[in-house]
Amino acid sequence: GAGVSQTPSNKVTEKGKYVELRCDPISGHTALYWYRQSLGQGPEFLIYFQGTGAADDSGLPNDRFFAVRPEGSVSTLKIQRTERGDSAVYLCASSPGSGETQYFGPGTRLLVL
Amino acid sequence: SQQGEEDPQALSIQEGENATMNCSYKTSINNLQWYRQNSGRGLVHLILIRSNEREKHSGRLRVTLDTSKKSSSLLITASRAADTASYFCATGYNYGQNFVFGPGTRLSVLP
C-alpha cells in the first residue's frame, strides 16, 4: 500500500511569505505527527494529531506555525510570515494509533530566502 | 531536556564488522524506537521496544533496553556498505505524544 506522502517535495519562498505544507498519511492511521529537521540534527517534534484534534502542539515554535487535520486524514502545516530560520526539512509521520510505530514521509525541504 | 543522546556521534567500520550505537535518556519512558535515515531521504523505522521489554531482534539488528540505566543500544551485525546512514533513537514519554529524537549517530561502513 501507499506510504506517507508529502507535497511539495521542495518549496522555495521569500522571507515574509505564507506557505502550506501537505501530508497524506497512510490510510486508516489515526495518529499524525509533524517534525522539523535541520541539517545534521535529529527531527524536532512540532505537533501531534489524534484524529482531527491536536493532542499535543507543544513543539510549535511560535504562533506563526499552525496545523490542521479537519477530516482526520490529510494534514496541512501552515507557516505565516516565514523567516530564514524556518528553512529546514519538514517531516510528517503517521501511526495506526497512539504509541505505535511511526511511518515517515519523504519530507518537504523548505528554503526561505 | 528529555532528549535522548546517541553515542558515538560518528562511527566508521569495515564491512563485515559489527556496529554498536547507544542511546541514553533522562526520564522514564513508555517506549523507544530506532530509525535509520539515508542522506537526504526519509526516516525508516527499524525497531520499537517497550519499557517492559529488554531485548528485540530483527534480522541483523538487535536492540536492548536497560531502564535502570536509562539506556538502549542498537547492534548491527555483519555490517554492509548499504548500512551507511544516520541512526536515531526516539523516546516516547506519553503514549502517542511527543516522541523526542536524539541528534543521531552517523555510521559509515567501508567496503
Side-chain angles (χ1 to χ4, degrees):
Chain A
V4 177
S5 63
Q6 292 185 246
T7 55
S9 54
N10 293 281
K11 176 70 177 178
V12 181
T13 191
E14 294 179 341
K15 181 176 179 294
K17 299 289 188 182
Y18 168 82
V19 296
E20 288 190 353
L21 311 179
R22 177 187 167 109
C23 173
D24 279 87
I26 292 172
S27 178
H29 281 194
T30 61
L32 184 146
Y33 304 79
W34 282 100
Y35 295 86
R36 177 171 69 175
Q37 186 177 27
S38 300
L39 192 63
Q41 301 296 317
E44 172 193 5
F45 170 81
L46 296 177
I47 186 169
Y48 153 67
F49 288 89
Q50 180 59 46
T52 60
D56 183 351
D57 64 357
S58 62
L60 295 177
N62 52 60
D63 61 6
R64 295 186 299 105
F65 289 75
F66 188 71
V68 295
R69 195 186 185 200
E71 297 178 358
S73 179
V74 171
S75 177
T76 304
L77 178 66
K78 308 180 181 191
I79 310 175
Q80 298 177 322
R81 304 183 303 281
T82 52
E83 300 177 357
R84 292 192 180 89
D86 298 335
S87 296
V89 176
Y90 288 80
L91 296 165
C92 175
S94 69
S95 66
S98 299
E100 299 186 48
T101 298
Q102 295 180 60
Y103 298 88
F104 280 79
T108 293
R109 191 175 302 273
L110 175 66
L111 177 61
V112 182
L113 301 176
Chain B
S1 169
Q2 296 174 324
Q3 185 183 39
E5 291 281 340
E6 293 92 346
D7 168 61
Q9 291 185 338
L11 178 62
S12 184
I13 59 173
Q14 295 294 132
E15 208 166 22
E17 294 180 339
N18 296 341
T20 299
M21 289 158 272
N22 302 296
C23 173
S24 59
Y25 55 91
K26 295 183 179 179
T27 60
S28 296
I29 61 172
N30 286 320
N31 62 55
L32 184 147
Q33 304 183 59
W34 283 93
Y35 287 85
R36 182 185 71 226
Q37 185 177 40
N38 293 84
S39 180
R41 305 182 69 176
L43 284 89
V44 174
H45 180 264
L46 299 175
I47 289 181
L48 180 152
I49 187 166
R50 302 196 185 279
S51 59
N52 60 352
E53 297 175 311
R54 292 297 169 258
E55 186 171 314
K56 289 189 83 168
H57 297 255
S58 177
R60 294 183 295 112
L61 307 180
R62 173 177 167 250
V63 167
T64 62
L65 178 64
D66 187 335
T67 53
S68 66
K69 295 181 179 178
K70 293 185 172 56
S71 68
S72 174
S73 67
L74 169 65
L75 168 68
I76 304 174
T77 60
S79 63
R80 305 167 181 168
D83 295 329
T84 295
S86 291
Y87 291 82
F88 296 93
C89 69
T91 44
Y93 292 92
N94 294 293
Y95 277 108
Q97 297 177 359
N98 201 359
F99 283 88
V100 182
F101 282 78
T105 292
R106 287 172 293 286
L107 173 67
S108 296
V109 181
L110 307 175

